[in-house]
Amino acid sequence: MKLITQPDEGIRPLIAAVRRAKRRIHIVIFRFDLDELEDALAAAVKRGVEVIALIAYTNKGGEQSLRKLEQRMLKKGVTVARTNDDMVRYHGKLLIVDRLQAYILGFNYTGQDIRSRSFGVIVRSTRIVKELLRLFDSDNCRTEYTPRVADLVVSPENARSRLHRFLRKARTTLDIYDPNVADDEMLALLEGKAARGVQIRIIGGLEKKWEKAGFASVQKLRGLRLHVRAIVRDSSRAFIGSQSLRKLELDERREVGIVIRDRKVVRKVEKVFNDDWKRALRGKKSR
């Protein structure tokens, strides 16, 4: 497993993945405006790689751009499908190369997102890659999906139960990147954890009605746009995905994330969080 940190790495890991592809690329798109990546996908088609794009049926204010993207990709030989309209949004971001390697991303394929604080993970686990392909095929064919791999966090199927269990196991610390923690069940759990001595830090936002509870330290990210949903638990486990701790994203949208056990990757996420936290505190003192 390997971590992608934005904005440090930018588009490079995605371009490298597409250029290495030999047989087949599966890509799930919610937003897309990276010309270089689009050109790399077109070049892959020209060298004989089958490229299959599953494009969200809608996003906020961008349906017209999604339909234009579909037309451009079709002209370049990409096999294009559109997600169903049975959920509020299809918001996951996936790239799977040659059925061997999967990229689970917290950021969209946009210039704005790769200039923001975000993460992605590159996974080579056969079990996880196969499960992500099964999810892709299910959403592509619009059939029912039931998760089979516990470490994959897929909304709405298992995200609430899986993340509740992830938070419940915290013993000492929870460091959370989230633009708006707002789900009452998750927040009640966090409040209970804090009462038992777990230190909770949030970079992002907390719903106003919970701010007065005082169980978490909350800071705004300084110097960067925040576009990541990630949690580090007890310096030993992490979660990275597309879903916030909000009811809508847990229960009503397609979101995809992963629980990370690789200690090296967890430590890297933790280091970025600690650096961002220190920067936020310095910013407050200088005002």
Side-chain angles (χ1 to χ4, degrees):
M1 183 177 286
K2 184 178 179 182
L3 181 70
I4 300 171
T5 304
Q6 301 295 15
D8 302 354
E9 296 180 65
I11 197 174
R12 294 189 305 273
L14 305 180
I15 296 294
V18 171
R19 288 176 177 170
R20 283 196 303 267
K22 296 178 180 179
R23 298 182 62 189
R24 188 174 291 111
I25 294 170
H26 296 78
I27 184 168
V28 178
I29 296 169
F30 179 68
R31 295 188 188 277
F32 193 112
D33 67 13
L34 298 173
D35 292 342
E36 188 179 354
L37 182 57
E38 190 173 333
D39 291 344
L41 291 169
V45 172
K46 285 184 178 180
R47 65 175 187 268
V49 176
E50 181 184 13
V51 179
I52 307 167
L54 180 60
I55 300 177
Y57 80 94
T58 188
N59 63 36
K60 187 177 180 180
E63 287 187 54
Q64 188 174 0
S65 65
L66 287 172
R67 304 296 78 86
K68 289 180 179 179
L69 175 66
E70 286 180 7
Q71 294 303 313
R72 292 199 309 272
M73 288 199 167
L74 284 168
K75 288 178 181 178
K76 292 170 182 175
V78 175
T79 301
V80 175
R82 190 181 300 183
T83 65
N84 202 350
D85 60 0
D86 58 331
M87 298 186 199
V88 175
R89 284 186 189 175
Y90 279 75
H91 188 242
K93 311 99 168 50
L94 296 174
L95 177 68
I96 306 170
V97 178
D98 290 336
R99 297 182 176 269
L100 296 173
Q101 191 176 59
Y103 291 62
I104 303 172
L105 308 175
F107 53 92
N108 294 293
Y109 310 102
T110 69
Q112 185 181 44
D113 276 12
I114 64 173
R115 293 190 297 271
S116 303
R117 169 64 75 229
S118 196
F119 297 113
V121 288
I122 306 171
V123 182
R124 296 179 182 271
S125 162
T126 300
R127 186 171 60 101
I128 290 175
V129 172
K130 283 185 177 180
E131 182 67 9
L132 289 171
L133 284 166
R134 198 170 70 83
L135 172 62
F136 185 100
D137 289 342
S138 176
D139 284 348
N140 187 19
C141 298
R142 304 186 179 189
T143 57
E144 186 175 341
Y145 170 76
T146 302
R148 297 176 183 171
V149 176
D151 283 348
L152 280 178
V153 181
V154 182
S155 301
E157 282 78 7
N158 73 348
R160 179 171 293 280
S161 61
R162 189 65 186 88
L163 287 174
H164 192 277
R165 184 162 70 249
F166 180 87
L167 297 173
R168 192 175 67 238
K169 289 185 177 181
R171 295 184 177 182
T172 57
T173 59
L174 284 166
D175 292 332
I176 301 170
Y177 281 109
D178 198 313
N180 183 26
V181 183
D183 184 81
D184 286 345
E185 181 184 13
M186 297 299 186
L187 284 162
L189 173 62
L190 292 176
E191 185 177 39
K193 281 292 170 183
R196 289 188 285 277
V198 175
Q199 180 188 25
I200 300 171
R201 300 186 296 177
I202 299 172
I203 293 179
L206 181 62
E207 190 178 26
K208 286 185 178 180
K209 71 178 183 179
W210 287 91
E211 286 179 356
K212 295 179 181 179
F215 61 84
S217 298
V218 183
Q219 300 293 337
K220 297 292 184 184
L221 184 64
R222 301 282 172 178
L224 280 174
R225 173 178 175 263
L226 179 64
H227 193 278
V228 62
R229 284 81 167 158
I231 306 169
V232 178
R233 186 188 80 204
D234 298 337
S235 301
S236 64
R237 294 285 188 273
F239 161 77
I240 291 173
S242 65
Q243 55 264 81
S244 289
L245 295 176
R246 295 197 303 150
K247 179 175 175 53
L248 187 69
E249 294 179 33
L250 295 171
D251 300 334
E252 300 178 40
R253 293 170 28 163
R254 169 66 78 233
E255 310 279 358
V256 183
I258 187 169
V259 172
I260 299 165
R261 301 172 185 272
D262 185 309
R263 293 295 182 94
K264 188 178 292 186
V265 173
V266 173
R267 285 196 294 270
K268 287 181 179 179
V269 178
E270 185 177 41
K271 182 182 185 305
V272 176
F273 186 97
N274 284 332
D275 289 345
D276 285 344
W277 187 263
K278 291 173 184 175
R279 190 180 303 115
L281 292 177
R282 286 198 300 270
K284 282 186 72 174
K285 290 178 182 177
S286 65
R287 284 191 298 172

